[in-house]
Structure formats: C-alpha cells, structure tokens
Amino acid sequence: GGREGGGGRGGGGKNGGKNGGGGGNNDVSDKYPDNIPPLRLHPVDPRLPYMSIEMSPSLLPAAIAAMARTPGMKDLRGALVSARVTRWGTGAVWPHCALRESLGQAGELETETAALVAEHNIIGADDFS
C-alpha cells in the first residue's frame, strides 16, 4: 500500500491513511501549537501524496492530540485515521489535511473493518457486526 508497514486500508474515502508521526527529533517545544510537533499523513491510497496535518487545536480532535503528546508519539504511529484535504497551495508540494478521527491501530480486525466501511461509505454497517 501507500503507507509505512504495508497492507490495510484507511477511512475517510480516498483521504484515509496511516499516520507516520512527526519528522526529525521528538523534541516538543513552545513553537508547536498545544505542544504537538508537525505530523505527516501517509495515505493508504498510493495515488495520493503524503499530507501535512493541520495542527491548529481547533482542527485536531482532542483524542488524536492526546495520542500525539505521548513520548515518541508511540500511540499515534501506526494509527489509521480519517482525514480530509483542507487546502493545497499552488506552490506547496503536499496538501494540508484535517484529521477527523482515529479508527484504531492498523492490522487490527475492527480497525480494518471500520476503515473499509468508511472508505466505501457503507450505510448500515452496524448490521454486519
């Protein structure tokens, strides 16, 4: 697939993906909003480019922000998330996206099922559990 660690699918239509965490070091400082370093999304769909995650506290769900604050972002790495593209400037290499929710850890049956349901907009998916 188009993410670290191989297989599986992401939610949120074609904008689902696996969070690859921040770059460089794991130093969290005052220059980051809400003490969360920049994050990059690795879309599951290999046709899509990496995406920069909007770090505004108003756009980052509280549960995901809490996961991002763990040392080394270990709770967030490998998570399948639902995201949507918010902007893509003409001079930007990567689009920016806002995370909607975490579906769980990649590779887990419930997470992968939730990702497929979200990706294909299946209505009444609760009937299949």
Side-chain angles (χ1 to χ4, degrees):
R3 62 185 183 165
E4 293 179 26
R9 303 194 187 287
K14 292 184 178 179
N15 296 330
K18 181 176 177 182
N19 187 351
N25 60 33
N26 291 322
D27 179 32
V28 177
S29 70
D30 293 335
K31 71 180 181 177
Y32 301 122
D34 204 23
N35 289 328
I36 302 171
L39 301 174
R40 180 172 59 189
L41 183 76
H42 298 240
V44 174
D45 187 335
R47 297 173 294 181
L48 298 175
Y50 292 139
M51 298 180 194
S52 297
I53 298 172
E54 296 281 0
M55 299 307 297
S56 168
S58 65
L59 295 176
L60 197 61
I64 294 175
M67 292 169 65
R69 287 189 202 95
T70 60
M73 290 187 268
K74 65 178 174 63
D75 292 344
L76 193 54
R77 291 183 186 277
L80 282 176
V81 297
S82 175
R84 66 178 175 82
V85 172
T86 55
R87 62 187 162 92
W88 193 346
T90 55
V93 175
W94 295 337
H96 289 263
C97 69
L99 298 182
R100 294 177 180 168
E101 65 178 320
S102 173
L103 301 173
Q105 290 298 308
E108 293 179 359
L109 182 59
E110 275 188 46
T111 301
E112 298 291 337
T113 302
L116 283 169
V117 167
E119 181 177 1
H120 297 287
N121 298 316
I122 298 172
I123 298 172
D126 293 336
D127 296 337
F128 297 105
S129 54

